[in-house]
Amino acid sequence: METLQTAQLVGNAAAGHAAEITIWGLFWQADMIVKIVMLMLLVASVWCWAIIIEKMMRIRRLNAMADAFEESFWSGGSLDALYDRIGQRPTDPMSATFAAGMREWRHAADRGIAGTMKGSLQQRVERVMAVTIGREMARAERYMTFLASVGSTAPFIGLFGTVWGIMNSFTSIAGSGNTSLAVVAPGIAEALFATAMGLLAAIPAVLSYNKFSTDLGRYADRLETFAGEFSAILSRHLEERGAA
């Protein structure tokens, strides 16, 4: 009779624990340390997705604006007219690079040194454009370090929560003296849930970091190529002025 009652109690306990093994149940029943780990990973995951969405939209917008600017630049129109139109308020890194180069060129032309010191002027224009490219790329790459940090550390943070949860589970087992699956399963599930959250935060962060790093690298190469072409155009104008 006592054996039957014990079996019924264990069965009821197993049913109760099985009903409680849900996402919310795993969180609310977890140890405080494990809860903190889960909340940290949840915040990191939400922030990562916000950065991912922002970066996707920003890179698409930068490429579209660069296409529009290059179409205007290579249309055969006057570069002075193009600078007068966008030089004061450039809207994208490529137009900012062009504006920086033209500003230095015009400053030299106003002082009458475009023809006499063409070597130093060429170097100054190239240096100004390189500085502008570096500054604009630093803005475009903002928060990339956070994606890399989450991608590399989130699994270990989740693993810490898992280890802590398993330690608590074994402590509870030792205290109760009951090694049935109904007692062990909830604690182990709570602990493994922390690892799952770590992977949930890390995998999108790593994939997006690799994707955005490649896209931004290509965009930086595009800016440097444009700066080189623009520098060649200015150099040709300098030689024509010197010959004249």
Side-chain angles (χ1 to χ4, degrees):
M1 188 68 177
E2 292 180 357
T3 304
L4 180 60
Q5 291 178 348
T6 301
Q8 289 176 345
L9 290 174
V10 172
N12 292 335
H17 285 297
E20 295 171 356
I21 299 180
T22 62
I23 293 179
W24 288 111
L26 293 175
F27 175 78
W28 289 115
Q29 295 177 31
D31 180 78
M32 181 57 66
I33 300 296
V34 181
K35 284 181 180 178
I36 293 174
V37 170
M38 291 180 181
L39 287 174
M40 289 174 57
L41 293 172
L42 179 62
V43 171
S45 180
V46 171
W47 196 356
C48 280
W49 278 107
I51 295 172
I52 290 169
I53 294 172
E54 189 272 337
K55 280 286 179 285
M56 289 177 62
M57 296 176 62
R58 183 176 179 83
I59 292 173
R60 187 179 297 114
R61 185 170 61 251
L62 288 177
N63 284 316
M65 296 174 74
D67 291 339
F69 174 79
E70 285 189 319
E71 184 177 354
S72 299
F73 182 84
W74 297 110
S75 63
S78 171
L79 296 183
D80 289 320
L82 180 61
Y83 175 75
D84 291 336
R85 188 170 72 250
I86 68 171
Q88 297 303 318
R89 300 184 63 181
T91 57
D92 65 289
M94 186 169 289
S95 61
T97 302
F98 165 76
M102 280 297 295
R103 190 179 301 115
E104 187 65 26
W105 167 270
R106 280 194 170 186
H107 178 69
D110 293 340
R111 295 172 57 187
I113 62 175
T116 59
M117 300 177 63
K118 61 181 182 180
S120 61
L121 173 59
Q122 183 76 18
Q123 293 177 359
R124 288 203 307 275
V125 169
E126 292 175 354
R127 187 159 52 247
V128 165
M129 289 193 293
V131 170
T132 302
I133 291 174
R135 182 174 61 248
E136 294 295 332
M137 289 306 302
R139 292 176 182 173
E141 293 171 354
R142 189 181 181 187
Y143 298 126
M144 289 291 290
T145 303
F146 181 79
L147 289 179
S149 299
V150 171
S152 61
T153 61
F156 297 101
I157 295 174
L159 183 60
F160 167 76
T162 297
V163 173
W164 188 274
I166 291 176
M167 287 171 57
N168 286 335
S169 297
F170 283 122
T171 302
S172 300
I173 292 171
S176 64
N178 190 344
T179 59
S180 66
L181 186 61
V183 175
V184 176
I188 300 298
E190 295 162 11
L192 293 177
F193 186 53
T195 297
M197 290 192 66
L199 295 175
L200 185 65
I203 292 174
V206 171
L207 294 177
S208 60
Y209 177 81
N210 293 335
K211 172 76 165 56
F212 296 148
S213 294
T214 301
D215 292 343
L216 291 173
R218 290 174 180 171
Y219 185 74
D221 292 339
R222 187 176 183 181
L223 292 180
E224 291 174 359
T225 300
F226 168 76
E229 293 172 338
F230 183 43
S231 178
I233 293 173
L234 295 180
S235 178
R236 185 163 58 250
H237 281 297
L238 283 174
E239 292 177 357
E240 291 174 355
R241 286 193 178 188

